[in-house]
Structures are given as structure tokens and as C-alpha cells.
Amino acid sequence: MKFVRWGEAGAEKPGVLDSDGNVRDLSEVVSDIDGSTLGAMPEIVPEALPLAGDVRLGPCVGNVGKLVCVGLNYADHAAEGGWDVPTEPVLFMKATTAISGPFDPVILPEGSEKTDWEVELAIVIGSRAKNATDGNAHIAGYCIVNDVSERAWQQEMGGQWTKGKSHDTFAPLGPWLVTADELGDPDGRPIWLEVDGERMQDGTTDTMVFKPKFIVEYISRFMTLEPGDVIATGTPPGVGLGKSPQVFLRAGQEMRLGIEGLGEQRLPVRGA
């Protein structure tokens, strides 16, 4: 299944895609696409549900409790920044208030000079995981997240990375939550991002250092993962920080990004 959330920002309804790619209204079946429903979704026949029509798609997961991120998880991305490949996952958090829709504007912070892009495969947790021994058993599905980052705040202002990662609109999520059984193996999938039509990132999930199953098991040693939590698993090479000369986002540009099997995002960039 491909689940979506549709409607006005802050008032999204649950939905599902039918075989023709139309959004069907799930609101008479479940209250939302979130932790309360992901582990107990009833059997659904999308074509039997009412059409939602031409609607805005919001973040594909609602009421996210935690947005956990894995840094430097692509060997070729670590190389472009001159960093060592981690021997254990590098973890940081991104504020859930950063979550926005897959076609909503990304708003540059006031005074932003180095806002950057990071297309990432995201894991959506479907069942509670504490000291998990089979990470796959806790994965409801996958989606795209753009880990937008203000590099000056991240690297030049002391402390950890969270402050450069958490501005409003810095975590566009979706367009779809694709269930694990429908997507199949997340390895070996093309992952890419363009800015104004220029291909910036063009990688594959093959170069992930730590794979989703292990990531869930590892993180669950340090914190309990709850249904509806989201894990961003790292980005391939091609970020603005790694280019020579470096290049960053400007108001008026547009990002387009995608992962095979998970759809695409289109994100206009606007000033504060």
C-alpha cells in the first residue's frame, strides 16, 4: 500500500493510493496515518473508497513522536566531506516541528547563508522497539525525507547538529508512506536530488554503511522507538557543502528529489 495524508496543513486526512495513482479517502476507516494505526491497519480495498480529488498532500506520517537521524551513513558522502566513515551510526535529532509536506515551500531562515539539501530514505516505525533483535519486524514502511540543513548553524555555532537541522520546513516528508511489503528490499535503489533542474545528488542506497534493519536494532538500544517514529538514514554525495566551490540554496529556486519506488518531492524555496 501507498498511504498519504491530504488536505489543508494541520488538518490532513488519511488516504491511500489506488492502482491508478488516485488518492482515496481513508477517513471513515482510520483516524490518521500515524502511530495509532500503523500497527493495526485493517484490510483495505482502495477502489471501494471515495475519491479525494485533486488535493494537497501533507506529510505522509502524522503525530510523529521522534525524528531520529543517522549522519554520515553513505561512504561516498563521508568521503566528499573529508570525514572518516563511522564505525558506529552517528545519531542526532531533528525537531518534529520541522516536518512539512512534500510539495510545500522550504523557508530559508532569516539571515541564512548556507542552507543545504539532503535527500534521504526514511524508515517509519510500525511497532514498539526496545533492544530489538529483528529490526525489520518493527518497520511499517519507508518514505522520502529531505534533511534540509543550515550549515552555518550546524557547524559554526558550537554544540551539536540539531540547531542546524530543525528550522520549520526543514523536514519535508512524503509524498507516500510505502509499506515494507510493497517496497521490498530498500537496498540498491537510485536516490537523487536536483536544484533548478541540475542534478546535484545521484546515488544509490547500496552505499549505505548501516542498513535499515541494523539501524532500527542499534537505535533501539539507546531509546525506545514507538509506532509512528521516523528515522532518516543519511544522504548520498552531492550536497552543497561538499561541492567546490560550495553552493547553497537561494530564494526562488526549486528542489526536486526522489527515490525509486517512493515517489518524488517538489519543493519551492522561499525567503523568510
Side-chain angles (χ1 to χ4, degrees):
M1 292 284 182
K2 294 183 174 74
F3 293 110
V4 299
R5 298 173 69 252
W6 59 276
E8 295 183 8
E12 291 91 351
K13 298 179 180 181
V16 63
L17 296 191
D18 65 21
S19 57
D20 293 323
N22 301 308
V23 177
R24 300 280 180 158
D25 185 2
L26 262 179
S27 57
E28 295 300 316
V29 180
V30 294
S31 59
D32 204 348
I33 305 299
D34 63 8
S36 69
T37 58
L38 286 172
M41 191 69 69
E43 187 173 342
I44 296 165
V45 180
E47 285 72 17
L49 299 169
L51 287 164
D54 186 14
V55 293
R56 167 190 173 269
L57 294 185
C60 61
V61 186
N63 303 310
V64 175
K66 293 189 287 296
L67 179 46
V68 188
C69 304
V70 183
L72 305 179
N73 194 34
Y74 282 68
D76 38 6
H77 171 55
E80 76 172 340
W83 301 294
D84 293 334
V85 175
T87 57
E88 293 192 37
V90 175
L91 303 183
F92 63 94
M93 306 294 283
K94 202 171 173 84
T96 56
T97 48
I99 293 173
S100 58
F103 305 104
D104 294 343
V106 168
I107 309 301
L108 299 176
E110 185 173 350
S112 169
E113 298 178 352
K114 297 182 179 180
T115 299
D116 204 348
W117 52 83
E118 292 191 14
V119 57
E120 305 200 9
L121 174 75
I123 299 166
V124 181
I125 298 297
S127 62
R128 192 172 188 267
K130 174 68 175 176
N131 292 320
T133 57
D134 181 3
N136 284 337
H138 300 279
I139 297 175
Y142 300 89
C143 64
I144 299 169
V145 63
N146 187 352
D147 178 19
V148 184
S149 308
E150 216 305 331
R151 301 299 191 188
W153 294 2
Q154 177 186 356
Q155 296 186 336
E156 300 169 19
M157 297 180 66
Q160 302 298 314
W161 292 357
T162 301
K163 69 178 71 171
K165 300 280 189 171
S166 294
H167 189 264
D168 292 355
T169 75
F170 270 23
L173 201 65
W176 317 317
L177 190 171
V178 181
T179 55
D181 60 340
E182 173 149 336
L183 185 69
D185 190 349
D187 210 15
R189 294 185 176 268
I191 176 171
W192 55 271
L193 180 145
E194 296 175 352
V195 177
D196 287 346
E198 180 180 354
R199 187 63 60 105
M200 298 295 189
Q201 294 183 271
D202 197 3
T204 170
T205 55
D206 272 338
T207 64
M208 270 190 185
V209 181
F210 306 106
K211 305 299 183 179
K213 177 181 182 294
F214 176 78
I215 287 171
V216 172
E217 294 165 3
Y218 183 85
I219 294 175
S220 76
R221 291 169 50 194
F222 304 100
M223 65 189 82
T224 299
L225 294 170
E226 298 285 1
D229 286 349
V230 176
I231 304 170
T233 62
T235 199
V239 299
L241 180 71
K243 295 189 179 298
S244 183
Q246 293 179 342
V247 57
F248 299 108
L249 292 168
R250 305 185 306 276
Q253 293 184 311
E254 181 185 68
M255 289 180 282
R256 177 172 166 257
L257 54 145
I259 302 174
E260 182 185 72
L262 295 175
E264 296 184 9
Q265 297 184 0
R266 284 183 177 268
L267 303 164
V269 180
R270 295 184 182 171

